[in-house]
Amino acid sequence: MKSHQSTQTMKPATAAKKLGVYLEATPAEFQEGVVSRAELTALQAEPPEWLRELRLNGPHPRPVVAAKLGISISGLARGGITEALTTEQIEALKTESPEWLQKERATHAEVLKEGARIKEKKREKAEKEKNAGQG
């Protein structure tokens, strides 16, 4: 029985997500085709001009916008941001620092802090159980 390896491909939306870019801003040939794993790796290793430009100036997808603002994607929605934003728009928001953004940053920081606390507590518990098993 011969096994032939088929080339794994992904939809443009999946590839755009992995590349951290907004699909609607990519070239038509990217949006209309399929992307193989090898092509994705090549795009990541040596991004073409359009990809470098998108990563630098946007428009950026919501996960990237949220990360650049230091808030969650839910926080973006609560702040009324539902569209992709350019780097310039993100910087303007940071400069304006509206109340909702300050609140979401504080909330996000608390969530991250609590996550780190829980992770540390689990690590300590696992360490205790490991040491107790050795005794």
Side-chain angles (χ1 to χ4, degrees), residues 4 15 27 29 61 64 66 89 134:
H4 80 297
E29 59 269 15
V64 174
Q89 290 169 313
Q134 292 176 353

mmCIF file of all heavy atoms in Angstrom, residues 4 15 27 29 61 64 66 89 134:
data_model
loop_
_atom_site.group_PDB
_atom_site.id
_atom_site.type_symbol
_atom_site.label_atom_id
_atom_site.label_comp_id
_atom_site.label_asym_id
_atom_site.label_seq_id
_atom_site.Cartn_x
_atom_site.Cartn_y
_atom_site.Cartn_z
ATOM 1 N N HIS A 4 0.648 8.353 -0.335
ATOM 2 C CA HIS A 4 1.083 9.577 -1.006
ATOM 3 C C HIS A 4 0.665 10.751 -0.143
ATOM 4 O O HIS A 4 -0.428 10.785 0.391
ATOM 5 C CB HIS A 4 0.509 9.673 -2.428
ATOM 6 C CG HIS A 4 -0.905 10.139 -2.506
ATOM 7 N ND1 HIS A 4 -1.956 9.450 -1.961
ATOM 8 C CD2 HIS A 4 -1.438 11.255 -3.056
ATOM 9 C CE1 HIS A 4 -3.083 10.099 -2.174
ATOM 10 N NE2 HIS A 4 -2.806 11.200 -2.832
ATOM 11 N N ALA A 15 -5.173 31.501 6.609
ATOM 12 C CA ALA A 15 -3.808 31.972 6.360
ATOM 13 C C ALA A 15 -3.643 33.410 6.835
ATOM 14 O O ALA A 15 -2.634 33.753 7.465
ATOM 15 C CB ALA A 15 -3.479 31.855 4.873
ATOM 16 N N PRO A 27 -4.222 41.193 -1.157
ATOM 17 C CA PRO A 27 -4.459 41.212 -2.608
ATOM 18 C C PRO A 27 -5.522 40.193 -3.025
ATOM 19 O O PRO A 27 -5.698 39.158 -2.371
ATOM 20 C CB PRO A 27 -3.100 40.828 -3.204
ATOM 21 C CG PRO A 27 -2.108 41.073 -2.126
ATOM 22 C CD PRO A 27 -2.831 40.895 -0.831
ATOM 23 N N GLU A 29 -5.617 37.992 -5.386
ATOM 24 C CA GLU A 29 -5.151 36.628 -5.651
ATOM 25 C C GLU A 29 -4.962 35.833 -4.355
ATOM 26 O O GLU A 29 -5.131 34.627 -4.332
ATOM 27 C CB GLU A 29 -3.874 36.609 -6.503
ATOM 28 C CG GLU A 29 -2.676 37.327 -5.921
ATOM 29 C CD GLU A 29 -2.577 38.799 -6.320
ATOM 30 O OE1 GLU A 29 -3.550 39.373 -6.825
ATOM 31 O OE2 GLU A 29 -1.498 39.384 -6.092
ATOM 32 N N PRO A 61 -6.515 43.301 11.881
ATOM 33 C CA PRO A 61 -7.681 42.566 12.389
ATOM 34 C C PRO A 61 -7.862 42.848 13.887
ATOM 35 O O PRO A 61 -6.934 43.303 14.568
ATOM 36 C CB PRO A 61 -7.329 41.103 12.128
ATOM 37 C CG PRO A 61 -5.840 41.072 12.039
ATOM 38 C CD PRO A 61 -5.411 42.419 11.528
ATOM 39 N N VAL A 64 -5.241 41.892 16.582
ATOM 40 C CA VAL A 64 -4.036 42.722 16.539
ATOM 41 C C VAL A 64 -4.323 44.103 17.130
ATOM 42 O O VAL A 64 -3.531 44.640 17.903
ATOM 43 C CB VAL A 64 -3.495 42.830 15.091
ATOM 44 C CG1 VAL A 64 -2.335 43.806 15.006
ATOM 45 C CG2 VAL A 64 -3.072 41.448 14.582
ATOM 46 N N ALA A 66 -6.606 44.842 19.353
ATOM 47 C CA ALA A 66 -6.740 44.672 20.803
ATOM 48 C C ALA A 66 -5.366 44.573 21.462
ATOM 49 O O ALA A 66 -5.108 45.228 22.477
ATOM 50 C CB ALA A 66 -7.577 43.430 21.117
ATOM 51 N N GLN A 89 -4.843 55.011 13.178
ATOM 52 C CA GLN A 89 -6.054 55.105 14.007
ATOM 53 C C GLN A 89 -5.797 54.564 15.414
ATOM 54 O O GLN A 89 -6.299 55.121 16.396
ATOM 55 C CB GLN A 89 -7.202 54.328 13.350
ATOM 56 C CG GLN A 89 -7.718 54.971 12.081
ATOM 57 C CD GLN A 89 -8.663 54.044 11.324
ATOM 58 O OE1 GLN A 89 -8.376 52.856 11.129
ATOM 59 N NE2 GLN A 89 -9.783 54.601 10.892
ATOM 60 N N GLN A 134 7.446 11.923 46.857
ATOM 61 C CA GLN A 134 8.824 11.447 46.983
ATOM 62 C C GLN A 134 9.172 11.057 48.418
ATOM 63 O O GLN A 134 10.193 10.452 48.654
ATOM 64 C CB GLN A 134 9.797 12.519 46.495
ATOM 65 C CG GLN A 134 9.709 12.768 44.994
ATOM 66 C CD GLN A 134 10.613 13.913 44.553
ATOM 67 O OE1 GLN A 134 11.201 14.607 45.366
ATOM 68 N NE2 GLN A 134 10.685 14.093 43.243
#
